[in-house]
C-alpha cells in the first residue's frame, strides 16, 4: 500500500479524469450533458436501488467532478467512506439529521455545533445533556465528542466515551477537526461517524468553506449522499477545486504545524514565570492522562492561553507581528483570537492561538516580545 503523502496527490487519479490537464479545471457548470450513447443512459431508479453505483455527473447539487475527486482523496486520508459538504456545520447538521436522536450528549466544544443542536431542540424536542450524563443515552441516541476540544486544544478519552455510548446502544460522532490524521484516527477507537470542518486543516489556506463526514458503512454514506441532495449542502464548485489543491500538501502542513505548536507550548509552559501577564496555558501536550498518549500521535496546532485580566487579553493581539487577529484556524498563517469576540460562552481572559507554517522560533520570539511588553 502506498503512503499518505502519495495518496494525497494520486488518490483521485481514476475519479472523473475527463481532460488531460494535470490540474483539473474548475467546473462552473450546474448541469452536465447526458451521454450521447443511448445504451449508456442510467436511470435514477437503478441508482436508488443500488443496481448501478457510479454515474457521470448530472446536476451540481448532487455532485460534480471536483466534489467527487475531493471525496476520493479524503477517503484515503480518513480511511472510510466520505461525504463532503459546504461547511463543517452542514456536516454536523447532516449527521444529526441522519441519526435523529431523542437525546444528544454533547460537551462544550465549538459553539456553532450547539447552535445546530438548538435547532433540533426547537423543531423536534431533542433533549441535550452534558457529556458526563451519558447514562441518559438510550438506543439510537447520539454522543457527540469533540476532541481535541475548541478552543483549548485539550483531549477527551475517546475509548471511554465510545464504550459508555455503545453499551447503551447510542452512536458516537467525533468532531476531529482539531487533530486530523495522522495526529488522531478516531475509527481506531470505535467511533461511528467522524466529522471535520474541512475549512480548517484540509483547506489550510483560509480561503474555502467545507466539511465532511466519514463512515465505515457504505449504506450510511449512500443515505447521507441522498440526504445531501435534498438538503442542498454539497460543497461549491470553486471550494472543491481549492480543497483538492490544498489536500496535495496537507501532510507536510499538518506535521509542521503540530510540531511547531508543541514546541511553542513547551517553551511558554517552561518559561511561564518570565511573563507576569500569562496566567494559564491549555493544550493536550500538557495533559498527563494515559489516554492522551494512546490516542494522539501528535498534538493539535491549536492551543489557548489565559491572561491575568480581560484588558490584557484584549490588548495582546495588536502587539503581535506574525499572528493575524481573526477567528478560524488551520491556515498556513498563524492566528490569535480574543475568543470573547465570537464565543459568548468563554471567559474574557482567553486567547485561542492557531499555529501556521512559519518558523516556530520566529513565533516564539513574537509571542515573547508581545507578552513582555504587557508586563
Ligand atoms: C471544532 C469545529 N467544528 C466545526 C466547526 C464548524 O466548521 P465550519 O466553519 O466549516 O462550518 C468549527 C469552526 O470553527 C470548529 O472549530
Amino acid at each position: 500500500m502506498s503512503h499518505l503523502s502519495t495518496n494525497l496527490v494520486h488518490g483521485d487519479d481514476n475519479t472523473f479524469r475527463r481532460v488531460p490537464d494535470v490540474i483539473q479545471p474548475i467546473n462552473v457548470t450546474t448541469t452536465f450533458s447526458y451521454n450521447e450513447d443511448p445504451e449508456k443512459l442510467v436511470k435514477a431508479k437503478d441508482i436508488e436501488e443500488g443496481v448501478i453505483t457510479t454515474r457521470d455527473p448530472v446536476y451540481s447539487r448532487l455532485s460534480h467532478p471536483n466534489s467527487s475527486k475531493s471525496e476520493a482523496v479524503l477517503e484515503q486520508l480518513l480511511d472510510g467512506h466520505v461525504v463532503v459538504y459546504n461547511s463543517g456545520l452542514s456536516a454536523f447538521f447532516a449527521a444529526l439529521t441522519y441519526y435523529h436522536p431523542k437525546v444528544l450528549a454533547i460537551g462544550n466544544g465549538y459553539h456553532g455545533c450547539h447552535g445546530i443542536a438548538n435547532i433540533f431542540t426547537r423543531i423536534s424536542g431533542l433533549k441535550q445533556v452534558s457529556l458526563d450524563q451519558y447514562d441518559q443515552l438510550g438506543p439510537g441516541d447520539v454522543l457527540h465528542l469533540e476532541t481535541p476540544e475548541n478552543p483549548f486544544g485539550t483531549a477527551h478519552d475517546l475509548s471511554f466515551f465510545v464504550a459508555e455510548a455503545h453499551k447503551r446502544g447510542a452512536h458516537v460522532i467525533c468532531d476531529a477537526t482539531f487533530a486530523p490524521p495522522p495526529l488522531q484516527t478516531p475509527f481506531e477507537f470505535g467511533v461511528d461517524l467522524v466529522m471535520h470542518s474541512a475549512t480548517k486543516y484540509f483547506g489550510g489556506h483560509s480561503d474555502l468553506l467545507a466539511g465532511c463526514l466519514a463512515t465505515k458503512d457504505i449504506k450510511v454514506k449512500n443515505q447521507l449522499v441522498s440526504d445531501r441532495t435534498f438538503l442542498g449542502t454539497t460543497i461549491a464548485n470553486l471550494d472543491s477545486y481549492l480543497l483538492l489543491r490544498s489536500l496535495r500538501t496537507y501532510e507536510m502542513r499538518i506535521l509542521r504545524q503540530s510540531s511547531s505548536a508543541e514546541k511553542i507550548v513547551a517553551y511558554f509552559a517552561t518559561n511561564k514565570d518570565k511573563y507576569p501577564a500569562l496566567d494559564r496555558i491549555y493544550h493536550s501536550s500538557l495533559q498527563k492522562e494515559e489516554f492522551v498518549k494512546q490516542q494522539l500521535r501528535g498534538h493539535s496546532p491549536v492551543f489557548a492561553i489565559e491572561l491575568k485580566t480581560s484588558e490584557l487579553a484584549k490588548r495582546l493581539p495588536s502587539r503581535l507581528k506574525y499572528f493575524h487577529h481573526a477567528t478560524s484556524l488551520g491556515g498556513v498563517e498563524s492566528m490569535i483570537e480574543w475568543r470573547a469576540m465570537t464565543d459568548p460562552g468563554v471567559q474574557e481572559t482567553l486567547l485561542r492561538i492557531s499555529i501556521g507554517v512559519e518558523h516556530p522560533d520566529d513565533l516564539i520570539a513574537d509571542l515573547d516580545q508581545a507578552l513582555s511588553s504587557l508586563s
Side-chain angles (χ1 to χ4, degrees):
M1 238 174 71
S2 41
H3 296 85
L4 179 59
S5 50
T6 308
N7 296 339
L8 290 170
V9 179
H10 293 287
D12 59 317
D13 280 356
N14 299 322
T15 308
F16 290 124
R17 196 164 185 90
R18 305 185 312 158
V19 291
D21 308 24
V22 171
I23 303 303
Q24 295 303 294
I26 301 165
N27 307 108
V28 295
T29 189
T30 52
T31 188
F32 299 82
S33 298
Y34 292 137
N35 203 298
E36 282 177 13
D37 179 353
E39 295 307 316
K40 293 200 172 138
L41 296 178
V42 173
K43 288 184 287 183
K45 196 163 174 270
D46 287 343
I47 291 283
E48 206 174 281
E49 289 172 4
V51 179
I52 292 173
T53 50
T54 53
R55 66 170 159 185
D56 291 338
V58 171
Y59 183 58
S60 68
R61 178 158 45 75
L62 279 63
S63 71
H64 41 90
N66 286 330
S67 74
S68 301
K69 287 173 86 61
S70 37
E71 277 173 358
V73 175
L74 285 168
E75 296 201 337
Q76 307 278 334
L77 176 58
L78 299 175
D79 193 24
H81 306 288
V82 170
V83 187
V84 294
Y85 295 90
N86 56 11
S87 73
L89 284 189
S90 287
F92 187 55
F93 187 86
L96 283 192
T97 303
Y98 175 76
Y99 286 129
H100 61 89
K102 290 195 172 56
V103 180
L104 172 71
I106 183 166
N108 291 328
Y110 180 56
H111 61 96
C113 291
H114 291 268
I116 300 279
N118 292 343
I119 293 174
F120 280 84
T121 298
R122 194 176 77 226
I123 62 179
S124 65
L126 172 72
K127 181 177 172 190
Q128 297 179 52
V129 299
S130 64
L131 264 189
D132 51 17
Q133 291 174 305
Y134 49 77
D135 58 331
Q136 299 198 30
L137 294 168
D141 287 335
V142 167
L143 184 140
H144 178 69
L145 188 61
E146 187 179 307
T147 187
E149 186 180 273
N150 192 350
F152 300 103
T154 45
H156 293 284
D157 188 346
L158 267 173
S159 303
F160 173 80
F161 285 106
V162 166
E164 292 299 338
H166 284 177
K167 224 188 271 175
R168 295 166 174 85
H171 311 283
V172 178
I173 305 171
C174 175
D175 183 341
T177 301
F178 267 44
L183 308 181
Q184 177 181 249
T185 48
F187 283 134
E188 262 180 64
F189 303 92
V191 160
D192 300 291
L193 208 52
V194 179
M195 167 195 156
H196 284 271
S197 165
T199 310
K200 315 301 184 205
Y201 294 100
F202 300 161
H205 296 74
S206 307
D207 59 2
L208 68 93
L209 268 182
C212 67
L213 294 177
T215 165
K216 287 287 190 185
D217 185 344
I218 187 66
K219 288 203 212 94
V220 176
K221 168 163 177 167
N222 291 343
Q223 187 61 55
L224 288 169
V225 168
S226 170
D227 291 353
R228 184 185 63 181
T229 297
F230 304 112
L231 291 170
T233 48
T234 314
I235 189 170
N237 277 314
L238 175 61
D239 291 45
S240 63
Y241 165 82
L242 291 170
L243 177 58
L244 204 50
R245 170 219 56 184
S246 297
L247 286 168
R248 309 301 191 203
T249 57
Y250 164 76
E251 194 195 35
M252 286 182 280
R253 289 185 282 103
I254 192 71
L255 294 178
R256 162 77 171 217
Q257 288 171 270
S258 168
S259 72
S260 294
E262 203 176 333
K263 183 173 179 181
I264 293 165
V265 167
Y267 177 85
F268 285 98
T270 310
N271 295 286
K272 192 168 155 286
D273 295 345
K274 271 174 58 183
Y275 308 100
L278 183 57
D279 194 20
R280 286 192 70 174
I281 309 173
Y282 302 88
H283 193 228
S284 57
S285 65
L286 303 175
Q287 282 177 269
K288 301 279 177 259
E289 298 100 313
E290 196 51 34
F291 76 82
V292 179
K293 256 189 264 142
Q294 284 158 6
Q295 201 168 298
L296 291 170
R297 293 197 189 93
H299 296 279
S300 178
V302 182
F303 63 96
I305 59 174
E306 257 189 273
L307 298 194
K308 293 264 166 64
T309 67
S310 58
E311 204 44 45
L312 289 168
K314 195 171 164 184
R315 279 202 211 142
L316 183 74
S318 60
R319 308 265 172 119
L320 289 159
K321 187 168 146 199
Y322 295 132
F323 292 78
H324 291 274
H325 188 200
T327 197
S328 203
L329 54 110
V332 292
E333 55 287 305
S334 291
M335 289 196 195
I336 188 164
E337 184 184 25
W338 183 41
R339 198 59 189 150
M341 293 284 291
T342 51
D343 189 341
V346 296
Q347 51 281 50
E348 292 186 12
T349 46
L350 193 77
L351 291 147
R352 185 181 70 185
I353 298 177
S354 164
I355 298 301
V357 299
E358 303 93 336
H359 198 288
D361 293 347
D362 293 333
L363 300 178
I364 289 174
D366 197 20
L367 283 164
D368 167 75
Q369 66 74 24
L371 282 167
S372 303
S373 79
L374 287 180
S375 301

